[in-house]
Amino acid sequence: MNNSRSKKTSLSPEGYAGLSDVMLAFLDGCTESTEDVANSKMMMMLSQSFYKEGEASDERNDRVYLKSAISGHKLWSSDDFWDQALYQCVAEALHHSHVLPTLYEQAIVEKRRNGEDANILKGVEGAPKQMMWHDLLESQRTTATRQVQDVVSAQLTALAHSMIEFNCGLDRSHKYVRRMCVRYQLPIEQRAELLKHLLEIRAEKKGSGAGSGAQAGKVKVELSKEEVKQEVTVVPAVVEGERKGEGD
């Protein structure tokens, strides 16, 4: 199915019904294992690509996507699924961005330039050892922290949208964002921006036409006292987790 996304995504009514049954059965299996997050995410993506035509087949907006058939599945009501999905998305994004390997090489160059022993950053037979947060220079920690926070923010925004698309509701999506912002230690500014975005969606859904845009523009975000008081450290736990995952 993934290979067909770039070729043909329209389905016959029979094909739509058949694929709906297959996806629902597949998700039933994913529900029994918290380790099957990757396949569940794939089902989410595919369900938003394949569709059948509605009554007015000449109108793009009349397409009925497979998402409509699986959005009521019990998997989407699992907090653990969304928690694991974010962790996996962040870990994958960090792996592909090469944040730590790049900073690792920079740390070696800087230590040599300062006449320090760069071999402490090497493992057995000169091979790079597993990168640890304390191996980075202080300036690099700040850079890495900012990059990790940006990755978390982007992935959290995408998943919050997915929660809304799969009928989890705005309230639940809002609580999820608050909880994950605290868990991943996002700075207050990013938290407020994420929450404001969700509240704007709520305002748009409540309003209509030009009035909804005006209403969205007046949205105010109020952070709890606990969120405001919380100190954000410079060691995002997800970085260490991502490195451990690479070693497994």
Side-chain angles (χ1 to χ4, degrees), residues 29-79:
C30 292
T31 304
E32 299 174 2
S33 173
T34 57
E35 299 178 358
D36 217 357
V37 174
N39 287 323
S40 302
K41 290 193 304 175
M42 177 64 73
M43 289 298 103
M44 291 174 61
M45 178 185 68
L46 294 175
S47 72
Q48 296 179 83
S49 300
F50 291 88
Y51 64 92
K52 68 177 180 179
E53 298 289 357
E55 295 180 0
S57 58
D58 59 326
E59 296 183 10
R60 182 181 180 86
N61 290 335
D62 198 50
R63 293 176 176 177
V64 181
Y65 285 86
L66 282 169
K67 177 190 69 176
S68 301
I70 68 171
S71 59
H73 195 276
K74 61 182 179 181
L75 178 63
W76 317 129
S77 64
S78 168
D79 288 337

Side-chain angles (χ1 to χ4, degrees), residues 164-182:
I164 296 171
E165 289 291 320
F166 284 81
N167 295 337
C168 293
L170 278 166
D171 287 338
R172 187 169 168 218
S173 178
H174 188 270
K175 292 177 182 178
Y176 173 70
V177 167
R178 281 186 180 272
R179 185 162 54 86
M180 291 299 101
C181 281
V182 171

Side-chain angles (χ1 to χ4, degrees), residues 199-218:
L199 291 176
E200 286 174 347
I201 294 176
R202 184 198 302 273
E204 289 173 1
K205 286 184 176 295
K206 288 183 177 180
S208 60
S212 64
Q215 188 178 7
K218 297 179 181 179

Side-chain angles (χ1 to χ4, degrees), residues 56 101 112 124 154 157 202 215:
R112 286 174 176 168
V124 179
T157 299
R202 184 198 302 273
Q215 188 178 7

Side-chain angles (χ1 to χ4, degrees), residues 226-243:
E226 294 301 320
E227 287 173 311
V228 173
K229 289 180 180 178
Q230 184 190 30
E231 293 292 334
V232 180
T233 69
V234 295
V235 188
V238 68
V239 175
E240 299 296 346
E242 188 240 348
R243 293 303 306 175

